[in-house]
Amino acid sequence: MDRLEEIKSAAEKLPAISEDAISKLCQSLPRLVQLVNEKFLIDDKFCCGKPLDKHMKIVKNIHKNFGDALLAVYQFSLYDVLIHEFAWIVSTLFYRDFEKDYFPKMLNAWIMAIHGTIEPSRSRELIQPLRFLERNLSVILENWDISAKLENENQEEFMNLLLEKRRRDATDYTISLLDSGYSPDDLCHGILIPAMKQIGLLWQKNQITVSDEHAATEITRYIIYRLCDSIPRKQALPHRVLVSCVPGEEHELGAEMVASYLESQGWTVYFTGHSAPDEDIVVVISRYMPEVILLTSTLISNLPSTVELSKRIRQTEPASKIILGGRAVVRAKRRMQEFADALIVDYREAHLTAIRLL
């Protein structure tokens, strides 16, 4: 076990935060983010060190995202996930020329903001995981680098076509692989998903832009539609499923893959896409009465909305079966199981899991 994994294991033993303290954090979060940003602006103006002028937009975005993730981590006692999320921040910012001294300053700013805003009996609870990060920061800073390679030339070729924004060529390439003997599942799981994961990694390493990543996502989405159109649909099943990202979730490619796969298996699929308000999702459920509801969450910060929506569906449509999936759900699976009838790791599990529940 490497040092980072050791820290994650140790973090799991941290005590749970009380509901009252979590409530105080939730109420104070916008103010806390503001205070943390203000401290960095003051430090940047009056203290020595590398100026953050050109990075302040990134800094503010990181602070907000960290606060949202912190709330989810506290709510579900996912302290091992907190280590992973902070290591991701370290990696992302190091590749954008941030100095090492930014990270202890960031943690200290959060601790000071919590102490100054929330009553002592609750602030002492809330800062303990941050103190744990402080104590283990040197290990995180030594193990921040990320590296991963694609497994074969087909994945490389497809990724390069995406990065060059050649939609027609990328589509023709996948169709040629389909004609050469690849199954649609082989293409999705063996080519499209690895290439998109590598593109996400390239963004994290500051080697491509956000627009590059978004263009690759749109091209991949188009290709998924083309692949699904080329697959003879299996005999229609007498079952209905709603597939949706949870409220606030912008990463919808995984949900689209699930929806397309279930359609190919004969399901009647209702797809609400990304960032739909929970009210709209509940209305669609009430209108079409799906037997299965599949919700996806990619970001840890969206786990609270995942749980709230699951609870609401349980109250309004108790007969419907709930399946949860997505990167955040997988990372938090030990806590998410109580809020769903089943969890899935990838889209290929959706059909059999849903059938098993009916």
Side-chain angles (χ1 to χ4, degrees):
M1 182 184 296
D2 63 30
R3 294 291 306 282
L4 209 55
E5 291 303 317
E6 290 176 2
I7 292 174
K8 290 179 184 178
S9 296
E12 292 178 355
K13 300 179 175 64
L14 289 170
I17 306 293
S18 68
E19 291 186 8
D20 187 49
I22 294 171
S23 176
K24 293 289 195 301
L25 178 67
C26 184
Q27 294 167 13
S28 305
L29 195 54
R31 176 59 178 158
L32 293 173
V33 173
Q34 181 184 356
L35 289 172
V36 172
N37 288 338
E38 288 175 355
K39 185 177 188 307
F40 269 86
L41 286 170
I42 292 170
D43 287 350
D44 197 39
K45 185 174 182 180
F46 296 107
C47 295
C48 298
K50 190 173 181 178
L52 284 172
D53 288 3
K54 66 176 183 177
H55 292 312
M56 278 312 298
K57 184 176 180 180
I58 297 174
V59 166
K60 290 179 179 180
N61 189 49
I62 286 290
H63 293 165
K64 182 185 183 305
N65 291 342
F66 181 71
D68 292 339
L70 200 62
L71 182 61
V73 164
Y74 285 6
Q75 186 170 340
F76 302 108
S77 298
L78 301 172
Y79 303 117
D80 56 327
V81 176
L82 178 61
I83 305 302
H84 179 275
E85 292 293 303
F86 196 76
W88 183 90
I89 290 173
V90 169
S91 172
T92 301
L93 296 186
F94 265 151
Y95 280 115
R96 285 156 178 81
D97 299 324
F98 277 67
E99 301 289 339
K100 284 188 175 183
D101 64 355
Y102 164 80
F103 303 101
K105 286 180 180 178
M106 175 186 169
L107 292 174
N108 181 255
W110 274 96
I111 290 169
M112 289 179 62
I114 291 171
H115 265 319
T117 305
I118 298 173
E119 62 193 62
S121 62
R122 297 300 175 235
S123 66
R124 283 194 291 270
E125 286 185 72
L126 293 168
I127 69 168
Q128 289 310 306
L130 299 176
R131 292 292 190 199
F132 182 87
L133 279 176
E134 274 191 327
R135 293 194 298 272
N136 292 281
L137 186 56
S138 61
V139 176
I140 297 174
L141 294 178
E142 291 169 4
N143 294 272
W144 62 271
D145 199 10
I146 48 175
S147 59
K149 293 183 178 180
L150 294 175
E151 297 176 354
N152 57 60
E153 293 180 356
N154 290 335
Q155 294 172 351
E156 289 274 2
E157 177 66 18
F158 179 69
M159 183 188 73
N160 290 333
L161 291 170
L162 292 180
L163 292 176
E164 293 168 6
K165 302 175 178 60
R166 293 160 57 187
R167 188 177 79 163
R168 176 70 177 270
D169 291 339
T171 304
D172 289 347
Y173 183 69
T174 54
I175 296 299
S176 71
L177 292 176
L178 191 65
D179 292 340
S180 71
Y182 273 76
S183 70
D185 182 61
D186 291 336
L187 282 173
C188 286
H189 200 73
I191 303 295
L192 274 62
I193 291 177
M196 285 304 302
K197 285 183 177 179
Q198 188 70 11
I199 284 172
L201 188 62
L202 291 177
W203 174 85
Q204 188 176 347
K205 298 174 77 169
N206 203 28
Q207 295 179 12
I208 63 173
T209 66
V210 171
S211 62
D212 291 329
E213 186 178 21
H214 287 178
T217 300
E218 291 304 318
I219 294 171
T220 302
R221 177 181 289 115
Y222 172 77
I223 290 170
I224 290 170
Y225 293 154
R226 288 287 304 273
L227 287 175
C228 289
D229 288 343
S230 69
I231 303 170
R233 184 172 178 175
K234 292 187 178 180
Q235 182 176 354
L237 297 172
H239 301 309
R240 302 175 305 280
V241 58
L242 178 135
V243 179
S244 177
C245 298
V246 300
E249 183 59 67
E250 295 288 344
H251 300 79
E252 66 176 332
L253 191 59
E256 287 185 346
M257 294 184 79
V258 170
S260 297
Y261 178 69
L262 289 173
E263 282 180 336
S264 73
Q265 298 300 306
W267 288 77
T268 298
V269 178
Y270 307 101
F271 182 58
T272 63
H274 68 95
S275 290
D278 56 354
E279 285 288 347
D280 291 0
I281 296 172
V282 170
V283 166
V284 173
I285 293 171
S286 299
R287 181 181 300 159
Y288 297 108
M289 302 295 291
E291 297 135 288
V292 177
I293 298 156
L294 198 152
L295 306 174
T296 68
S297 178
T298 299
L299 299 180
I300 293 295
S301 55
N302 287 325
L303 288 178
S305 63
T306 303
V307 170
E308 289 305 312
L309 181 56
S310 296
K311 289 180 177 179
R312 185 169 182 181
I313 293 170
R314 282 268 191 257
Q315 292 175 348
T316 58
E317 305 295 338
S320 295
K321 302 299 183 182
I322 299 174
I323 299 175
L324 299 180
R327 183 178 68 87
V329 170
V330 172
R331 290 198 178 281
K333 61 183 179 181
R334 60 188 171 85
R335 298 305 305 271
M336 291 296 106
Q337 290 172 342
E338 64 181 285
F339 304 109
D341 296 289
L343 307 181
I344 60 172
V345 174
D346 68 48
Y347 73 92
R348 296 174 300 177
E349 299 177 5
H351 171 64
L352 292 179
T353 300
I355 289 294
R356 189 181 72 244
L357 293 174
L358 296 178

